[in-house]
């Protein structure tokens, strides 16, 4: 996730929820503006002035190490289509590409490759769907890192994977023309599922609606 990758995130939203405090309560107690606090709450990776961190830590009675969530790994990700595109198969999982994740922290570096499989609904189905499974990793090191992350960092990484898979899906559409296959002008449901070391070790499952070119 380099180029926008963040390793330090504030936990203000969680800290307020744990104490049943509102933004209004915090504005009144700290003197910080509502806009400033809303930005911090809604954007965990926002830059916060040191004075403001001091005011918030003092108000919440926490140390800076408890105000922030830290994960010291940077991620970069990419994909490639299968060199020889296979004949389209309805209702059957088949290989369509590859997903690579590189992670670095200091002098440590880990690379994990995955295979991307596609399983689609049958053509007669009223609401067509595509499921992309990212699995069969070359190493289990990414699985270990993922399990070490806080929920916030996991969510951020999931969003990044899904955004990359949207690009992958658009490239694959140039080979298969999904709307034509399903003879539809409607949005198609796309699911992205990522697995760890084993196929029953599901790391996350995200879905979205996509409109493909005819």
């Amino acid at each position: 996730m380099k180029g926008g990758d963040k390793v330090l995130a504030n936990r203000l939203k969680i800290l307020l929820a744990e104490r049943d405090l509102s933004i209004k309560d915090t504005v009144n107690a700290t003197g910080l503006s509502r806009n400033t606090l809303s930005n911090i709450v809604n954007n965990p990776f926002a830059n916060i002035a040191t004075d403001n961190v001091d005011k918030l830590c003092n108000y919440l009675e926490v140390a800076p190490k408890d105000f922030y969530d830290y994960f010291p790994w940077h991620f970069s990700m990419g994909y490639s289509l299968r060199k020889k595109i296979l004949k389209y198969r309805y209702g059957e999982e088949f290989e369509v590409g590859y997903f690579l994740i590189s992670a670095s922290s200091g002098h440590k570096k880990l690379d994990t490759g995955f295979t991307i499989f596609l399983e689609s609904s049958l053509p007669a189905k009223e609401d067509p769907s595509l499921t992309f499974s990212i699995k069969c990793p070359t190493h289990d090191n990414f699985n270990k890192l993922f399990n070490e992350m806080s929920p916030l960092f996991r969510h951020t990484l999931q969003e990044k994977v899904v955004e990359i898979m949207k690009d992958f899906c658009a490239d694959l559409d140039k080979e298969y023309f999904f709307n034509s296959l399903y003879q539809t002008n409607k949005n198609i449901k796309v699911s992205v599922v990522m697995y760890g070391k084993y196929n029953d070790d599901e790391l996350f499952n995200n879905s979205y609606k996509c409109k493909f070119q005819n």
Side-chain angles (χ1 to χ4, degrees):
M1 292 192 305
K2 281 194 175 176
D5 205 11
K6 303 287 186 180
V7 297
L8 194 66
N10 80 76
R11 301 180 62 248
L12 182 57
K13 186 174 184 177
I14 297 170
L15 293 169
L16 293 181
E18 288 175 347
R19 292 159 175 74
D20 196 26
L21 295 169
S22 66
I23 289 179
K24 183 179 179 180
D25 295 329
T26 312
V27 167
N28 292 336
T30 63
L32 296 176
S33 72
R34 174 174 287 274
N35 286 342
T36 295
L37 284 170
S38 294
N39 182 51
I40 297 172
V41 167
N42 296 319
N43 180 11
F45 299 103
N47 292 322
I48 311 174
T50 304
D51 287 349
N52 291 344
V53 174
D54 179 53
K55 290 176 182 178
L56 290 167
C57 286
N58 185 272
Y59 171 55
L60 298 168
E61 298 182 324
V62 297
K65 66 180 180 64
D66 300 312
F67 181 79
Y68 283 107
D69 190 0
Y70 177 65
F71 193 71
W73 286 85
H74 291 270
F75 292 89
S76 60
M77 306 180 196
Y79 68 81
S80 62
L81 298 182
R82 195 179 192 276
K83 288 184 178 179
K84 184 178 179 181
I85 298 297
L86 301 176
K87 182 179 178 181
Y88 199 80
R89 305 175 191 177
Y90 294 104
E92 178 185 345
E93 190 175 75
F94 64 104
E95 183 184 310
V96 290
Y98 311 98
F99 198 95
L100 176 66
I101 297 181
S102 295
S104 61
S105 177
H107 298 293
K108 294 179 289 185
K109 185 173 182 180
L110 302 174
D111 293 308
T112 308
F114 296 79
T115 301
I116 305 173
F117 296 88
L118 170 61
E119 184 172 358
S120 61
S121 56
L122 297 174
K125 187 174 176 61
E126 184 176 339
D127 295 313
S129 62
L130 308 172
T131 299
F132 290 93
S133 297
I134 306 171
K135 58 185 181 180
C136 303
T138 53
H139 303 283
D140 65 350
N141 45 34
F142 174 75
N143 191 93
K144 292 175 180 177
L145 287 182
F146 188 86
N147 289 329
E148 291 173 3
M149 293 179 188
S150 69
L152 173 60
F153 278 95
R154 287 184 193 176
H155 179 71
T156 302
L157 186 137
Q158 289 173 32
E159 289 183 331
K160 185 65 176 178
V161 172
V162 171
E163 285 303 309
I164 293 173
M165 284 302 297
K166 287 180 180 178
D167 292 336
F168 174 86
C169 203
D171 278 349
L172 195 63
D173 182 50
K174 297 172 185 175
E175 300 288 341
Y176 291 127
F177 304 102
F178 295 120
N179 278 14
S180 297
L181 286 170
Y182 289 101
Q183 298 181 353
T184 181
N185 289 316
K186 298 192 302 183
N187 288 337
I188 294 177
K189 180 183 177 182
V190 179
S191 296
V192 176
V193 188
M194 190 168 205
Y195 294 89
K197 185 176 181 180
Y198 305 104
N199 287 349
D200 60 350
D201 182 15
E202 185 177 298
L203 300 182
F204 69 86
N205 186 335
N206 285 49
S207 297
Y208 62 93
K209 292 283 189 175
C210 186
K211 180 78 170 182
F212 294 99
Q213 300 295 320
N214 286 320

